[in-house]
Amino acid sequence: MHKEIKTVSFEEAAKVIKSGDRVHLHSVALTPHKFINAMCDRGRNGEIYDVTIQHIHTEGPAPYADPEFEGIFNLESLFVGANVRKQTQAGYADYIPVFLGETQQLIREGVLNVNVAVVQVSTPDKHGYVSLGTSVEASKAAVEEADTVVAIINPNVPRAFGDAMMPLSNFDIFCEDNSPLIEHHNAPLSEMDIAIGKNVAELIPDGACLQMGIGGIPNAVLAQLGNHKDLGVHTEMFADGLLPLVEKGVVNGRNKKLDPGKIVAGFLMGTKELYDFVDDNPGVLMMDVAYTNGVGIIKQNPKVCAINSALSIDITGQVCADSIGTKHYSGVGGQIDFTRGAAASEGGVPIIAMPSVTGKGISKITPTLLTGSGVVTTRNNMRWFVTEHGAVNLFGKSLQQRAKAIISVAHPDFREELDKAAFERFGSHYHFVRK
């Protein structure tokens, strides 16, 4: 027998927040918007102030980050999504630089003490368990460590296994919601996406264990893997692009040493088809980011292929993936977690893949990074770098050799000026260096 559940309104649940509290919100597709609205109403009414809002990436409106709530809500994003990017760049919201795998550590070790955690969960099963569904990430840690936990029971939350499963005893206040999960539909692949996808796919061996995110490049890579064999998945997240490979039997996890036969992820973002795939599926384990992104865990599988993207790279291999100059754009995420994990994996292939130019035709490969840009992947971590113009391995290459290699996959329109910048930086000897 599980404990009897008495649900309350969102207005009543939001009263648990006190001035000065830190509130952790569930992330991505499970962003709890009805609770957020009730919380913001309390802020507008002058009932609370100086409340810190904590989350990784959320979907949908984020009114608590708007200028009207200055002094009422302070946002500390662990990853800056599009919904709070403008507010963060204007200084109304803030970002904590942290590897995704360590977000849970901030909570568990009390560096960021959580007073109230708010999560959406599946309908309770007969054993008194609910599931955190598509988002375990750092929210499991928040549920375990918070003073008070609000659970929003939503029948649309899939019953996912792994760390997602939690007993009702972990929760204090219950609400009900029947809102559909937030969906993300893929845009059609561009020619550039397809070209990058083909170049990356050539680096992936049969039996590889994949990590990749969401968007054009990951989907383009997945679309090229239909003839591969025995691929596995251990990743921070996956999206709909993986499903055809599962249905075809290409992704079967047969070669994995850790969690063989299982798809392992920390959170998901996609369509209802993806959420239905995870529901009641013992072949998918939704896990804490301490597990999905732990370098010591990642490296235990052979042939880990980590595919991550970037905003820019300089000619020595310094990768900026979180900012455009001093303007913060996104976050560190799990790029370094998986780059290091893949590098330590037997036969691993760490890859940074990106278009050679922006949508406005500006080169993303530059002599130096813009002033204020954050170096996410250092030149010391770099292995494979891929654009639509090819793939180069930077491991073991000198600074001058790297420059030649990186410039060789830049857009042809910019190679001459990049080569000139390299010559000015390194001197006449640069002309005699082999790629």
Side-chain angles (χ1 to χ4, degrees), residues 336-349:
I336 280 290
D337 298 333
F338 278 94
T339 294
R340 291 180 61 214
S345 160
E346 182 182 348
V349 187

Side-chain angles (χ1 to χ4, degrees), residues 55-95:
H55 56 63
I56 300 183
H57 162 63
T58 58
E59 289 286 324
Y64 46 81
D66 290 343
E68 72 164 301
F69 290 111
E70 190 169 21
I72 299 170
F73 298 121
N74 313 304
L75 173 61
E76 53 179 31
S77 297
L78 301 173
F79 188 93
V80 176
N83 59 349
V84 296
R85 188 168 293 140
K86 189 182 296 182
Q87 298 95 318
T88 303
Q89 291 177 352
Y92 291 106
D94 210 349
Y95 162 72

Side-chain angles (χ1 to χ4, degrees), residues 240-309:
D240 289 70
L242 189 69
L243 299 185
L245 295 179
V246 176
E247 291 164 9
K248 197 174 178 181
V250 172
V251 169
N252 55 37
R254 193 173 291 152
N255 199 45
K256 291 176 70 178
K257 288 186 178 176
L258 193 65
D259 305 312
K262 308 283 188 183
I263 295 171
V264 174
F267 63 94
L268 307 175
M269 187 66 209
T271 67
K272 187 175 184 299
E273 183 184 2
L274 179 72
Y275 307 148
D276 288 345
F277 167 73
V278 175
D279 184 45
D280 222 20
N281 186 347
V284 179
L285 298 179
M286 298 302 299
M287 302 297 287
D288 189 307
V289 287
Y291 188 82
T292 60
N293 288 55
V295 173
I297 301 292
I298 295 166
K299 72 176 186 179
Q300 292 181 43
N301 280 311
K303 300 183 182 179
V304 172
C305 291
I307 303 152
N308 290 282
S309 197

